[in-house]
Amino acid sequence: MLLIPCVMLFLLRYVFDGSPRTFNSIGASLLGIFPLITMFLVTSIATLRERTSGTLERLLTLPLGKADLIAGYALAFGTLAIIQSALATGLAVWFLDLDVTGSPWLLLVVAVLDALLGTALGLFISAFATSEFQAVQFMPAVIFPQLLLCGLFTPRPDMHPVLEAISNALPMSYAVDGMNEVLKNTDLTANFIRDVLIVAACALLVLALGAATLRRRTT
């Protein structure tokens, strides 16, 4: 789990071995996207397994609130997300020669927030799945539209106005924008701060929704 984003970045670097500028243009964006996708899958499946095995139901018989339980899961998976993001960022910047104008530490900040967002989405989605296969099936509905509309393939202002409006409401769009701000600017920009705050706020909102939809009985 920790190495999957690193492997994907490594493969991507040498897919574009003859065109390093292409890797530089999309590498930073994918540095945030890969951890988000990985943590979404791992968290949704692991939490669902806790639910179907009865572990979650037994935990909820204890004198603790739903928010406390969700916070505990988020802390555990969040620790893994931080390690995963640090490994991927270090590999991209110091070993794969990703050309970053700004501070690599800012890339790490966005990557960590993206991974935490993936964790929050996974915890939330697990409440609506009844099997591991169904949890994986949520990925096309939750992740793929964001992947297509986040600005990775084409600048968001160049999209159809309706699609641009939808992309403005998706958190992955601001994750990619934040990465691009670091890629192009030496200083901390207002746009970067805005993007980071939006991603963080979305993660907190989804965690709150996850706590609200957590059921005390499995079905």
Short mmCIF file of all heavy atoms in Angstrom, two decimals, residues 30-67:
data_model
loop_
_atom_site.label_atom_id
_atom_site.label_comp_id
_atom_site.label_asym_id
_atom_site.label_seq_id
_atom_site.Cartn_x
_atom_site.Cartn_y
_atom_site.Cartn_z
N LEU A 30 -0.17 14.16 -10.52
CA LEU A 30 -0.36 12.76 -10.19
C LEU A 30 0.20 12.43 -8.81
O LEU A 30 -0.23 11.46 -8.18
CB LEU A 30 0.30 11.88 -11.26
CG LEU A 30 -0.38 11.93 -12.63
CD1 LEU A 30 0.40 11.12 -13.64
CD2 LEU A 30 -1.80 11.41 -12.53
N LEU A 31 1.15 13.22 -8.35
CA LEU A 31 1.69 13.03 -7.01
C LEU A 31 0.61 13.21 -5.95
O LEU A 31 0.69 12.61 -4.87
CB LEU A 31 2.83 14.04 -6.78
CG LEU A 31 3.63 13.94 -5.48
CD1 LEU A 31 4.27 12.56 -5.35
CD2 LEU A 31 4.68 15.02 -5.43
N GLY A 32 -0.39 14.01 -6.27
CA GLY A 32 -1.51 14.16 -5.36
C GLY A 32 -2.64 13.19 -5.64
O GLY A 32 -3.34 12.75 -4.73
N ILE A 33 -2.80 12.81 -6.91
CA ILE A 33 -3.93 11.96 -7.29
C ILE A 33 -3.71 10.50 -6.87
O ILE A 33 -4.62 9.85 -6.35
CB ILE A 33 -4.17 12.05 -8.80
CG1 ILE A 33 -4.68 13.45 -9.16
CG2 ILE A 33 -5.16 11.00 -9.27
CD1 ILE A 33 -4.78 13.71 -10.65
N PHE A 34 -2.50 9.99 -7.07
CA PHE A 34 -2.23 8.59 -6.75
C PHE A 34 -2.49 8.26 -5.27
O PHE A 34 -3.15 7.26 -4.97
CB PHE A 34 -0.80 8.21 -7.14
CG PHE A 34 -0.61 8.03 -8.63
CD1 PHE A 34 0.65 8.15 -9.19
CD2 PHE A 34 -1.67 7.73 -9.46
CE1 PHE A 34 0.84 7.99 -10.56
CE2 PHE A 34 -1.49 7.57 -10.83
CZ PHE A 34 -0.23 7.70 -11.38
N PRO A 35 -1.96 9.05 -4.31
CA PRO A 35 -2.27 8.75 -2.90
C PRO A 35 -3.76 8.82 -2.59
O PRO A 35 -4.27 8.03 -1.78
CB PRO A 35 -1.48 9.81 -2.14
CG PRO A 35 -0.37 10.19 -3.04
CD PRO A 35 -0.96 10.13 -4.42
N LEU A 36 -4.47 9.76 -3.21
CA LEU A 36 -5.91 9.88 -2.97
C LEU A 36 -6.63 8.60 -3.39
O LEU A 36 -7.46 8.06 -2.65
CB LEU A 36 -6.46 11.09 -3.72
CG LEU A 36 -7.91 11.51 -3.45
CD1 LEU A 36 -8.10 13.00 -3.76
CD2 LEU A 36 -8.92 10.70 -4.26
N ILE A 37 -6.32 8.11 -4.59
CA ILE A 37 -6.98 6.91 -5.09
C ILE A 37 -6.63 5.70 -4.23
O ILE A 37 -7.50 4.89 -3.87
CB ILE A 37 -6.59 6.67 -6.57
CG1 ILE A 37 -7.12 7.80 -7.46
CG2 ILE A 37 -7.11 5.32 -7.05
CD1 ILE A 37 -6.67 7.72 -8.90
N THR A 38 -5.35 5.56 -3.90
CA THR A 38 -4.91 4.41 -3.11
C THR A 38 -5.58 4.38 -1.74
O THR A 38 -6.10 3.35 -1.30
CB THR A 38 -3.39 4.43 -2.94
OG1 THR A 38 -2.76 4.48 -4.22
CG2 THR A 38 -2.91 3.19 -2.21
N MET A 39 -5.58 5.53 -1.06
CA MET A 39 -6.16 5.57 0.28
C MET A 39 -7.67 5.39 0.24
O MET A 39 -8.27 4.83 1.15
CB MET A 39 -5.80 6.88 0.97
CG MET A 39 -4.32 7.02 1.32
SD MET A 39 -3.66 5.62 2.26
CE MET A 39 -4.71 5.63 3.71
N PHE A 40 -8.32 5.85 -0.83
CA PHE A 40 -9.76 5.63 -0.98
C PHE A 40 -10.07 4.14 -1.03
O PHE A 40 -10.97 3.65 -0.32
CB PHE A 40 -10.27 6.33 -2.24
CG PHE A 40 -11.69 5.99 -2.58
CD1 PHE A 40 -12.74 6.65 -1.95
CD2 PHE A 40 -11.99 5.01 -3.52
CE1 PHE A 40 -14.06 6.33 -2.25
CE2 PHE A 40 -13.30 4.69 -3.83
CZ PHE A 40 -14.34 5.35 -3.20
N LEU A 41 -9.34 3.41 -1.86
CA LEU A 41 -9.59 1.98 -2.00
C LEU A 41 -9.28 1.23 -0.71
O LEU A 41 -10.09 0.41 -0.25
CB LEU A 41 -8.73 1.42 -3.15
CG LEU A 41 -9.17 1.77 -4.57
CD1 LEU A 41 -8.15 1.31 -5.58
CD2 LEU A 41 -10.53 1.14 -4.86
N VAL A 42 -8.12 1.50 -0.14
CA VAL A 42 -7.71 0.77 1.07
C VAL A 42 -8.66 1.05 2.22
O VAL A 42 -9.11 0.13 2.93
CB VAL A 42 -6.27 1.16 1.45
CG1 VAL A 42 -5.91 0.61 2.84
CG2 VAL A 42 -5.28 0.64 0.42
N THR A 43 -9.01 2.31 2.43
CA THR A 43 -9.87 2.67 3.56
C THR A 43 -11.28 2.13 3.40
O THR A 43 -11.86 1.60 4.35
CB THR A 43 -9.92 4.20 3.71
OG1 THR A 43 -8.60 4.72 3.80
CG2 THR A 43 -10.68 4.59 4.97
N SER A 44 -11.85 2.25 2.22
CA SER A 44 -13.22 1.77 2.02
C SER A 44 -13.32 0.26 2.21
O SER A 44 -14.24 -0.24 2.87
CB SER A 44 -13.73 2.16 0.62
OG SER A 44 -12.90 1.62 -0.39
N ILE A 45 -12.35 -0.48 1.68
CA ILE A 45 -12.39 -1.94 1.80
C ILE A 45 -12.09 -2.38 3.23
O ILE A 45 -12.78 -3.26 3.79
CB ILE A 45 -11.39 -2.58 0.82
CG1 ILE A 45 -11.85 -2.35 -0.63
CG2 ILE A 45 -11.23 -4.08 1.09
CD1 ILE A 45 -10.87 -2.80 -1.67
N ALA A 46 -11.08 -1.77 3.86
CA ALA A 46 -10.72 -2.17 5.23
C ALA A 46 -11.85 -1.86 6.21
O ALA A 46 -12.16 -2.67 7.09
CB ALA A 46 -9.44 -1.45 5.65
N THR A 47 -12.48 -0.69 6.07
CA THR A 47 -13.57 -0.32 6.98
C THR A 47 -14.78 -1.21 6.76
O THR A 47 -15.46 -1.61 7.71
CB THR A 47 -13.95 1.15 6.77
OG1 THR A 47 -12.78 1.97 6.88
CG2 THR A 47 -14.95 1.60 7.83
N LEU A 48 -15.06 -1.54 5.50
CA LEU A 48 -16.17 -2.44 5.21
C LEU A 48 -15.93 -3.82 5.81
O LEU A 48 -16.85 -4.46 6.34
CB LEU A 48 -16.38 -2.55 3.70
CG LEU A 48 -17.52 -3.46 3.26
CD1 LEU A 48 -18.86 -2.91 3.75
CD2 LEU A 48 -17.54 -3.62 1.75
N ARG A 49 -14.68 -4.28 5.75
CA ARG A 49 -14.37 -5.58 6.35
C ARG A 49 -14.59 -5.55 7.86
O ARG A 49 -15.06 -6.52 8.44
CB ARG A 49 -12.91 -5.94 6.03
CG ARG A 49 -12.51 -7.34 6.47
CD ARG A 49 -11.15 -7.71 5.93
NE ARG A 49 -11.17 -7.78 4.47
CZ ARG A 49 -10.07 -8.02 3.75
NH1 ARG A 49 -8.90 -8.15 4.34
NH2 ARG A 49 -10.15 -8.08 2.43
N GLU A 50 -14.25 -4.44 8.50
CA GLU A 50 -14.53 -4.28 9.92
C GLU A 50 -16.03 -4.36 10.19
O GLU A 50 -16.47 -4.93 11.19
CB GLU A 50 -14.01 -2.93 10.41
CG GLU A 50 -12.50 -2.79 10.38
CD GLU A 50 -11.86 -3.38 11.61
OE1 GLU A 50 -11.72 -2.67 12.62
OE2 GLU A 50 -11.51 -4.57 11.55
N ARG A 51 -16.80 -3.79 9.29
CA ARG A 51 -18.26 -3.77 9.46
C ARG A 51 -18.84 -5.17 9.28
O ARG A 51 -19.65 -5.64 10.10
CB ARG A 51 -18.87 -2.81 8.44
CG ARG A 51 -20.36 -2.54 8.65
CD ARG A 51 -20.91 -1.78 7.45
NE ARG A 51 -20.14 -0.58 7.18
CZ ARG A 51 -20.29 0.57 7.82
NH1 ARG A 51 -21.17 0.68 8.77
NH2 ARG A 51 -19.54 1.61 7.50
N THR A 52 -18.47 -5.86 8.20
CA THR A 52 -19.06 -7.15 7.90
C THR A 52 -18.59 -8.25 8.86
O THR A 52 -19.30 -9.24 9.06
CB THR A 52 -18.73 -7.57 6.45
OG1 THR A 52 -17.31 -7.53 6.25
CG2 THR A 52 -19.39 -6.61 5.46
N SER A 53 -17.41 -8.09 9.44
CA SER A 53 -16.91 -9.08 10.39
C SER A 53 -17.51 -8.92 11.78
O SER A 53 -17.33 -9.76 12.65
CB SER A 53 -15.38 -9.01 10.49
OG SER A 53 -14.98 -7.77 11.05
N GLY A 54 -18.22 -7.80 12.00
CA GLY A 54 -18.83 -7.55 13.30
C GLY A 54 -17.96 -6.74 14.25
O GLY A 54 -18.43 -6.35 15.33
N THR A 55 -16.73 -6.45 13.86
CA THR A 55 -15.83 -5.69 14.73
C THR A 55 -16.37 -4.29 14.98
O THR A 55 -16.37 -3.80 16.12
CB THR A 55 -14.43 -5.60 14.10
OG1 THR A 55 -13.93 -6.91 13.88
CG2 THR A 55 -13.48 -4.84 15.02
N LEU A 56 -16.85 -3.66 13.93
CA LEU A 56 -17.37 -2.30 14.06
C LEU A 56 -18.59 -2.26 14.98
O LEU A 56 -18.74 -1.37 15.82
CB LEU A 56 -17.71 -1.74 12.68
CG LEU A 56 -18.16 -0.28 12.63
CD1 LEU A 56 -17.08 0.64 13.15
CD2 LEU A 56 -18.52 0.10 11.20
N GLU A 57 -19.46 -3.26 14.84
CA GLU A 57 -20.65 -3.30 15.67
C GLU A 57 -20.29 -3.48 17.14
O GLU A 57 -20.91 -2.87 18.03
CB GLU A 57 -21.56 -4.44 15.20
CG GLU A 57 -22.93 -4.45 15.86
CD GLU A 57 -23.86 -5.42 15.18
OE1 GLU A 57 -23.92 -5.41 13.94
OE2 GLU A 57 -24.52 -6.19 15.91
N ARG A 58 -19.28 -4.31 17.42
CA ARG A 58 -18.86 -4.51 18.82
C ARG A 58 -18.24 -3.24 19.37
O ARG A 58 -18.42 -2.90 20.55
CB ARG A 58 -17.87 -5.68 18.89
CG ARG A 58 -18.51 -7.04 18.66
CD ARG A 58 -17.57 -8.17 19.05
NE ARG A 58 -16.43 -8.24 18.15
CZ ARG A 58 -16.40 -8.94 17.02
NH1 ARG A 58 -17.49 -9.61 16.64
NH2 ARG A 58 -15.32 -8.98 16.26
N LEU A 59 -17.49 -2.52 18.54
CA LEU A 59 -16.88 -1.27 19.00
C LEU A 59 -17.96 -0.24 19.36
O LEU A 59 -17.80 0.53 20.31
CB LEU A 59 -15.96 -0.70 17.91
CG LEU A 59 -14.62 -1.40 17.71
CD1 LEU A 59 -13.90 -0.81 16.50
CD2 LEU A 59 -13.74 -1.26 18.95
N LEU A 60 -19.04 -0.26 18.59
CA LEU A 60 -20.10 0.72 18.83
C LEU A 60 -20.94 0.42 20.06
O LEU A 60 -21.78 1.22 20.45
CB LEU A 60 -21.00 0.81 17.59
CG LEU A 60 -20.38 1.56 16.39
CD1 LEU A 60 -21.25 1.41 15.16
CD2 LEU A 60 -20.17 3.02 16.72
N THR A 61 -20.72 -0.76 20.66
CA THR A 61 -21.40 -1.04 21.93
C THR A 61 -20.66 -0.39 23.10
O THR A 61 -21.21 -0.33 24.21
CB THR A 61 -21.48 -2.56 22.18
OG1 THR A 61 -20.16 -3.10 22.28
CG2 THR A 61 -22.23 -3.24 21.05
N LEU A 62 -19.45 0.06 22.85
CA LEU A 62 -18.67 0.74 23.89
C LEU A 62 -19.18 2.17 24.07
O LEU A 62 -19.81 2.74 23.17
CB LEU A 62 -17.19 0.73 23.51
CG LEU A 62 -16.54 -0.65 23.34
CD1 LEU A 62 -15.11 -0.49 22.83
CD2 LEU A 62 -16.55 -1.42 24.66
N PRO A 63 -18.87 2.79 25.21
CA PRO A 63 -19.33 4.16 25.45
C PRO A 63 -18.49 5.19 24.70
O PRO A 63 -17.76 5.97 25.29
CB PRO A 63 -19.19 4.32 26.97
CG PRO A 63 -18.08 3.39 27.33
CD PRO A 63 -18.23 2.20 26.41
N LEU A 64 -18.58 5.17 23.39
CA LEU A 64 -17.91 6.18 22.58
C LEU A 64 -18.83 6.59 21.45
O LEU A 64 -19.66 5.81 21.00
CB LEU A 64 -16.57 5.67 22.03
CG LEU A 64 -16.60 4.53 21.02
CD1 LEU A 64 -15.67 4.87 19.87
CD2 LEU A 64 -16.15 3.23 21.65
N GLY A 65 -18.67 7.83 21.01
CA GLY A 65 -19.52 8.36 19.97
C GLY A 65 -19.07 7.94 18.58
O GLY A 65 -17.94 7.47 18.38
N LYS A 66 -19.97 8.12 17.62
CA LYS A 66 -19.62 7.80 16.23
C LYS A 66 -18.46 8.66 15.74
O LYS A 66 -17.57 8.19 15.03
CB LYS A 66 -20.84 8.00 15.34
CG LYS A 66 -22.00 7.06 15.62
CD LYS A 66 -23.15 7.33 14.67
CE LYS A 66 -24.32 6.40 14.93
NZ LYS A 66 -25.44 6.64 14.00
N ALA A 67 -18.47 9.93 16.14
CA ALA A 67 -17.40 10.83 15.71
C ALA A 67 -16.06 10.37 16.26
O ALA A 67 -15.03 10.47 15.58
CB ALA A 67 -17.70 12.26 16.17
#
